Amino acid sequence: MAKRTIIPFGPQHPVLPEPIHLDLVVEDETVVEAIPSIGYIHRGLEKLCEIKDYDKMVYVMERVCGICSFGHGWGASAAIEGAMGLEIPERAQYLRTILHELSRVHSHLLWLGLLADAFGFESLFNHCWRVRETVLDLFEKNTGGRVIFSICKVGGMRKDISNENLQEIVTVLNGIKGEIKELTDVFISDASVKNRTVGVGLLTKEDAIATSACGPVARGSGLYQDLRMTDGFGVYGELGFEPCVEEAGDSYARTIVRIRELFQSIELIEKAVAKIPDGPVAVKAPGNVEGEAVVRLEQPRGEAYYYAKGAGTKFLQRMRLRTPTNQNIPALVKMLAGCDLADVPILVLTIDPCISCTER
């Protein structure tokens, strides 16, 4: 019987963008078991709801994650609006949907760059992030921020985006489609990329269900699930949305799902801009929150769950968030069992981890 060794992996590692810690039980070069540990960077953001009024709490929730900041602002606002029984204007719903899909484009481009970096494919990494800068420029022009946008608020949006600027977003995205296709064709067809991803980190459909995997991780294992379809959040029901699903369940399939979603997000933005109505972008919110509500939102990494509860004051009694990475860690543990030690960084990256999200 081969000798077993426990190798600590993380929280700092040259390939990992996030401080995840795993104890890897290995036999020779094969991982037998992975034991995750969380809590390294716990920040206690949810507790702040007791001393920050509900409007300021949206700013706090945006800072759960820089990459998904708009989605967290939307999810927190929508949960508080649900507790208040507040209906927001249709134009605000369209603007939220457009900016959320733009966030998905920048998140997936960032992730593709990090995956290329994990392979040691530095030029591909740089090009992915170069194209992503164009998306961040659009955010900066329309919201004033490149990472934290603070445009979403309880009751709708803090400011409108003109129809001319919305059309410019579509024009710019269509202009970089060719560059995105060039980059993604490398991930799809390059032999060295396929060698590191095809058949690696297999997560069967049954295992994806058993571990409650979500987002591209679940869809890469053949699960036909996406909250944009099932819950009708935002205005996705009016845009003819269908989830991107691959059946293979390996690292390559999870990569293909995200590549397909890049082009799908651009198409959804184009449809939303064509359909967006004129009108107000916010309604006045009451001074106090009374009641509770749950909101589920499809972030770029998968399902995020928001819970807000108030008892008739401007402070929330409870604000709770469960993030996609938190939900996908059991699936990651399943993928790692039986893999080569050298593939561990790649597999960790294929769930697109955000540990600051997970530990809040």
Side-chain angles (χ1 to χ4, degrees):
M1 181 178 175
K3 182 181 178 182
R4 292 192 172 187
T5 307
I6 297 178
I7 298 176
F9 180 86
Q12 285 90 18
H13 189 279
V15 173
L16 288 181
E18 293 285 338
I20 189 170
H21 176 78
L22 298 166
D23 285 321
L24 302 174
V25 182
V26 301
E27 290 182 0
D28 297 326
E29 291 293 312
T30 302
V31 177
V32 177
E33 184 183 6
I35 304 165
S37 298
I38 61 172
Y40 181 71
I41 54 169
H42 179 61
R43 294 177 289 162
L45 296 185
E46 292 166 350
K47 182 73 172 172
L48 290 173
C49 73
E50 297 175 10
I51 58 172
K52 301 279 186 186
D53 67 59
Y54 71 80
D55 211 31
K56 291 186 176 65
M57 198 58 205
V58 176
Y59 289 107
V60 173
M61 295 298 279
E62 279 190 305
R63 283 154 177 79
V64 166
C65 174
I67 310 306
C68 306
S69 64
F70 180 81
H72 287 314
W74 184 5
S77 296
I80 297 168
E81 287 159 0
M84 292 175 168
L86 201 61
E87 290 286 333
I88 73 164
E90 192 178 8
R91 184 174 178 87
Q93 290 282 27
Y94 268 90
L95 290 175
R96 286 179 175 184
T97 302
I98 290 165
L99 291 175
H100 192 53
E101 289 307 308
L102 198 58
S103 293
R104 198 177 313 276
V105 173
H106 108 77
S107 178
H108 284 353
L109 284 171
L110 177 142
W111 178 81
L112 285 169
L114 294 174
L115 187 66
D117 180 56
F119 297 142
F121 211 147
E122 292 301 319
S123 59
L124 185 58
F125 161 75
N126 286 324
H127 282 298
C128 287
W129 280 39
R130 175 182 57 79
V131 176
R132 174 176 165 263
E133 282 296 308
T134 305
V135 181
L136 295 185
D137 288 343
L138 290 173
F139 273 122
E140 185 175 21
K141 179 171 182 177
N142 291 285
T143 72
R146 294 169 63 82
V147 177
I148 305 294
F149 311 121
S150 299
I151 193 173
C152 206
K153 71 170 185 175
V154 176
M157 304 290 280
R158 293 189 187 281
K159 57 173 282 191
D160 197 357
I161 299 175
S162 69
N163 291 335
E164 292 75 18
N165 280 8
L166 291 173
Q167 193 55 56
E168 183 189 17
I169 290 173
V170 172
T171 303
V172 170
L173 290 176
N174 283 327
I176 62 173
K177 254 188 188 176
E179 290 183 272
I180 294 175
K181 187 175 188 312
E182 262 184 58
L183 293 171
T184 54
D185 280 349
V186 178
F187 288 95
I188 292 168
S189 59
D190 185 84
S192 62
V193 174
K194 292 176 80 171
N195 185 52
R196 297 299 302 276
T197 56
V198 174
V200 177
L202 189 64
L203 182 72
T204 65
K205 188 174 186 177
E206 294 71 27
D207 286 339
I209 294 169
T211 58
S212 298
C214 66
V217 175
R219 293 190 286 277
S221 293
L223 291 187
Y224 191 80
Q225 66 177 44
D226 191 307
L227 292 175
R228 292 172 289 174
M229 172 191 67
T230 55
D231 276 7
F233 204 74
V235 295
Y236 291 103
E238 300 173 31
L239 304 180
F241 173 80
E242 288 289 330
C244 299
V245 178
E246 295 288 325
E247 299 291 336
D250 56 7
S251 297
Y252 186 71
R254 293 186 281 276
T255 303
I256 298 301
V257 166
R258 290 185 176 96
I259 288 171
R260 288 175 58 194
E261 286 185 357
L262 269 172
F263 295 101
Q264 182 187 56
S265 291
I266 293 173
E267 184 182 336
L268 289 170
I269 291 168
E270 192 169 1
K271 286 180 180 179
V273 169
K275 287 174 173 280
I276 189 169
D278 292 328
V281 295
V283 294
K284 183 173 175 56
N288 299 324
V289 188
E290 187 160 8
E292 60 184 338
V294 166
V295 164
R296 296 159 68 216
L297 174 68
E298 188 72 26
Q299 290 276 28
R301 295 173 167 95
E303 177 187 333
Y305 171 101
Y306 303 85
Y307 170 75
K309 181 181 180 182
T313 73
K314 65 179 181 178
F315 301 104
L316 294 169
Q317 280 188 315
R318 189 77 170 92
M319 171 60 81
R320 173 67 177 160
L321 164 63
R322 187 191 66 199
T323 62
T325 300
N326 184 283
Q327 198 168 333
N328 278 329
I329 286 176
L332 172 64
V333 170
K334 194 77 177 176
M335 292 175 210
L336 289 170
C339 80
D340 290 337
L341 184 60
D343 287 327
V344 171
I346 304 295
L347 295 189
V348 173
L349 280 171
T350 62
I351 73 164
D352 194 2
C354 179
I355 304 305
S356 66
C357 281
T358 302
E359 304 188 2
R360 297 179 292 287

